[in-house]
Structures are given as C-alpha cells and as structure tokens.
Amino acid sequence: MMKRVKDGWHKVYGIDVWVENNVVIRGIIDNKCVHPFRWNDKGGYWNNESGYNTLDSVRSGLNRGTMCFK
C-alpha cells in the first residue's frame, strides 16, 4: 500500500511544494512558481515531471541530484 500525503503545501529541502492527489504539481522558490524536472541521461536534457512524482520520489531525486525545480 502506497503512503498517502495530504493535499496542500509541504516543505522539501527548503522548497515549498504543492501536492494534489499524492503527486507534486509545482513549487515556490524566491516567490516564483517552479516545476519539478528530472534529468534524462539518454537525451541529455531535463524532462518536466509536474504531476508524475510523489513527494518521496521528489525528495530522493533532489537528494541524488537527478531532479531540480525550474
């Protein structure tokens, strides 16, 4: 069974992120709306991952350096 996170604002490594239906939609950095991106090794570019990742996967991706908010 997957862990459920309440909808609303959460803080991940100092970034305020908005969660809906257990996935991260967007974040706020320096009063700007930003979206989560994941690095694609095969293509060598950042993919927009808004609405696809749980809070735990975003947290681990930020920790590994494979995700960022732009």
Side-chain angles (χ1 to χ4, degrees):
M1 184 170 184
M2 188 166 59
K3 178 174 127 181
R4 292 283 300 165
V5 177
K6 287 187 177 181
D7 290 353
W9 291 103
H10 298 269
K11 196 168 275 289
V12 178
Y13 293 117
I15 302 169
D16 290 320
V17 295
W18 180 256
V19 176
E20 283 182 13
N21 296 325
N22 211 36
V23 293
V24 174
I25 305 297
R26 65 183 174 272
I28 301 286
I29 298 176
D30 296 331
N31 293 328
K32 293 181 183 174
C33 182
V34 292
H35 297 278
F37 284 80
R38 183 179 299 277
W39 181 249
N40 182 337
D41 281 334
K42 293 179 183 174
Y45 54 87
W46 293 95
N47 284 333
N48 186 341
E49 295 282 321
S50 182
Y52 295 107
N53 294 295
T54 64
L55 190 62
D56 287 339
S57 68
V58 169
R59 184 178 287 120
S60 64
L62 289 171
N63 189 31
R64 285 192 307 260
T66 59
M67 288 194 82
C68 71
F69 280 87
K70 299 188 198 187

